[in-house]
Amino acid sequence: MSDVFPPRPRPATESGSPPSPEAVQRSIIETEGLSLFYGKAQALKSISLKIQEKVVTAFIGPSGCGKSTFLRCFNRMNDLIDTVRVQGQCRIGGEDILGPDVDVIELRKRVGMVFQKSNPFPKSIFENIAYGLRLHGTRDRKTLDEVVERSLRGAALWDEVKDRLHESALGLSGGQQQRLCIARAIAIRPEILLMDEPASALDPIATMKVEELILDLKKEFTIVIVTHNMQQATRISDYTAFFYIGELIEYDRTTRIFTNPQRKQTEDYVTGRFG
Amino acid sequence: MTHFEADIRGLRERLLTMASLASTAVRQAVKAMIDRDDDLANKVEDEDTALDTLEKDVDEVAVLLLLRAPLARDLRLIMVATKISHDLERVGDEATAIARRARELNREPLLKPYVDLPRMANMVLEMLETAISAFVDSNSERARAVIPRDKEVDLLNKQLHRELTSFIAENPANISRCLNLMAISKRLERIGDHAKNIAEEVVYFSEAQDIRHTQPNPDASGAPAAP
């Protein structure tokens, strides 16, 4: 009788969860011993991390832990600060991005960014998206129309703004402005989208829309997000990295970080017992 | 201590109260059978509502704690607390069922001196108390030690069923007493299962490892169901 219903083979890994970071084969961002100094103060301490392609990776940690600074290394945004000095390696798609010969404009085309506070240009909705394309040489009106529509659809904003594309972007609500910024970032088809607390200034409904959007976008883009909201990290990310005073303390599958962290500092932080 | 920590402590305290009530109920139900004490059997039945109320109370506190979106160890604790409270409430139900059967047995002369049933009761009570103490100390090693003991209880239950079946075959006048004793044996065996469940939950709480359904069970059919 026992042959009639043979036991089903059990999956070797936890069902539904991505493989552990160590098991990941295809990483798109890789840092090795990456340190960063603001003048004499060391903000990042020799961070080595591999970020997988087309997943959402969340960076968490208390304020001042270096998570935003680390994020901004990936498109060299820290270059804008005079006193910054970087050591170690950071490769995107296998290419070193820290070298003096790197075309930073080209890099930022590959690695888009969305900030905490939405920052639309004081132009029309259409122009906000077309601007970057024009900057990169697209002049053809038909192409611009197509890309604007595709980007707004991609950012789940098209239906809300399609009848007022030529009105000022500043007339949009906070949540719509943030999605416009995401549409603007994806218009130039980056490989990676960096998001620095993209929903922290939004109400719960706008937050939910941005989170849904992030989950849709990961089919096409690699997303790295900094968030202070741990529930947000659990809802949208596949991997989570916990930082503390410039160090990477723990990096693992999100489910593991939030149900069974291996380091005490992580456990104390995620359960709110830090300090 | 934060408000959250105080509420977590409250949840743990409720579970310990439930554990104490459940194990007292089992002890008294078995004593009511051995001493042929109807009053004690009635008392066990009357006091079961306290466990029912506490089970609902644990769920209510757990929901309020979950609203605060706890993580890691706190999340695991709340998850296992609702399961442990369910198991303890069921232990209370088993004790009530034993008490009812004891009352029925008390209406007829003693079939034979009770040896195996008190032994079985001691085994499951010890399993239950060890599982709870493992929970208190978050000691997964101690919890793991409870799990294989469930097999011993199952064997004893089967042995009792065989023996009582032979009593029935000998004399039809024994039937109702034997059926009551078989039912009590089965209820004690179920209490062993609940203790094992609690032990597995303690391992999950302590190690974040789900060890349920990982032991091969060569004879899943077990003993016949209670009449």
Side-chain angles (χ1 to χ4, degrees), chain B residues 152-189:
Chain B
E152 298 169 34
V153 176
D154 291 352
L155 281 175
L156 202 50
N157 177 42
K158 277 184 207 159
Q159 189 187 312
L160 256 162
H161 271 79
R162 275 197 300 271
E163 191 187 337
L164 290 165
T165 309
S166 70
F167 269 74
I168 291 173
E170 270 173 30
N171 183 358
N174 294 340
I175 290 178
S176 74
R177 278 173 294 176
C178 285
L179 290 180
N180 280 323
L181 290 169
M182 281 174 167
I184 290 175
S185 167
K186 182 68 190 170
R187 297 296 180 170
L188 288 171
E189 186 268 328

Side-chain angles (χ1 to χ4, degrees), chain A residues 202-260:
Chain A
L202 305 180
D203 69 33
I205 294 169
T207 298
M208 191 192 75
K209 286 185 180 171
V210 169
E211 289 181 0
E212 282 296 308
L213 178 56
I214 290 170
L215 290 173
D216 286 340
L217 290 174
K218 77 170 181 181
K219 292 174 198 134
E220 287 184 73
F221 307 99
T222 300
I223 297 171
V224 189
I225 178 171
V226 164
T227 180
H228 270 131
N229 181 334
M230 281 176 288
Q231 277 63 48
Q232 181 168 69
T234 62
R235 286 192 296 263
I236 60 172
S237 70
D238 303 286
Y239 294 90
T240 295
F242 169 61
F243 293 84
Y244 182 59
I245 332 183
E247 282 183 58
L248 173 65
I249 305 295
E250 189 166 351
Y251 173 47
D252 211 325
R253 283 168 294 195
T254 294
T255 46
R256 194 163 153 95
I257 291 279
F258 290 109
T259 57
N260 185 26

Side-chain angles (χ1 to χ4, degrees), chain A residues 10 230-231 234 257-261 267 270-273, chain B residues 4-5 8 69 71-76 204 207-208 213:
Chain A
R10 286 175 185 275
M230 281 176 288
Q231 277 63 48
T234 62
I257 291 279
F258 290 109
T259 57
N260 185 26
E267 172 101 26
V270 302
T271 55
R273 291 181 177 87
Chain B
F4 181 80
E5 283 166 339
I8 287 271
L71 291 167
R73 195 176 177 79
D74 297 332
L75 176 61
R76 299 202 303 271
Y204 178 73
E207 299 177 6
H213 315 302

Side-chain angles (χ1 to χ4, degrees), chain A residues 138-212:
Chain A
T138 309
R139 292 275 183 270
D140 176 49
R141 179 75 200 192
K142 192 164 166 277
T143 311
L144 287 176
D145 282 347
E146 279 171 8
V147 176
V148 167
E149 180 173 341
R150 190 183 64 213
S151 307
L152 287 169
R153 281 189 190 281
L157 192 59
W158 174 252
D159 289 337
E160 292 166 57
V161 301
K162 63 185 176 196
D163 300 324
R164 47 174 172 150
L165 289 177
H166 297 288
E167 290 175 22
S168 170
L170 301 179
L172 297 172
S173 71
Q176 288 172 327
Q177 287 189 11
Q178 191 61 304
R179 280 180 285 143
L180 179 66
C181 293
I182 294 172
R184 190 174 66 191
I186 62 177
I188 52 169
R189 314 296 300 163
E191 294 162 49
I192 298 163
L193 259 185
L194 308 178
M195 297 185 164
D196 197 347
E197 296 191 54
S200 63
L202 305 180
D203 69 33
I205 294 169
T207 298
M208 191 192 75
K209 286 185 180 171
V210 169
E211 289 181 0
E212 282 296 308

Side-chain angles (χ1 to χ4, degrees), chain A residues 112-141:
Chain A
M113 190 154 192
V114 176
F115 299 87
Q116 178 177 7
K117 198 171 177 313
S118 56
N119 52 354
F121 305 135
K123 289 172 175 285
S124 70
I125 294 166
F126 184 94
E127 281 305 318
N128 258 276
I129 293 165
Y131 181 82
L133 297 163
R134 288 210 184 91
L135 202 67
H136 290 107
T138 309
R139 292 275 183 270
D140 176 49
R141 179 75 200 192

